[in-house]
Amino acid sequence: MATALPTLPPDRLALLDGAYRSAISAKRRQTLIGFAILLAAVLVASVVAEVRPQTFADNIGNFFSYLGRIFTLENGALVFT
């Protein structure tokens, strides 16, 4: 069974396309603002906690190793199993 898709007149289609692009632009702007606020909060928290970024970057492997050890039980199984 064949069905036809409705087509809109070009002026109506242009209006809807403009509204869609405006909504996408607003969503992207909100996302970027959210990331900027998150980055600022992380930077402020690192200053308050007296974290030296270079030392943290140098030892990032130890940080993830520590997280792995936290989630491992004494018998070697993961906590989630």
Side-chain angles (χ1 to χ4, degrees), residues 3-4 9 12 23 30 32 41 43 46 49 54 56 59 63 74 78:
T3 59
R12 180 73 175 150
Q30 289 173 350
L32 287 174
L43 290 175
S46 69
Q54 184 61 38
F56 183 72
N59 297 313
F63 176 71
E74 291 178 0
L78 289 176

Side-chain angles (χ1 to χ4, degrees), residues 3 11 15-16 20 34 39 43 51 58 65-66 69-70 74 77:
T3 59
D11 58 338
L15 180 66
L16 291 174
Y20 174 75
L39 180 63
L43 290 175
V51 173
D58 290 342
S65 173
Y66 169 71
R69 290 190 311 268
I70 285 177
E74 291 178 0

Side-chain angles (χ1 to χ4, degrees), residues 35-73:
F35 280 137
I37 290 171
L38 177 64
L39 180 63
V42 167
L43 290 175
V44 168
S46 69
V47 168
V48 170
E50 297 179 359
V51 173
R52 286 177 294 221
Q54 184 61 38
T55 304
F56 183 72
D58 290 342
N59 297 313
I60 193 74
N62 295 342
F63 176 71
F64 289 114
S65 173
Y66 169 71
L67 290 178
R69 290 190 311 268
I70 285 177
F71 292 114
T72 305
L73 298 174

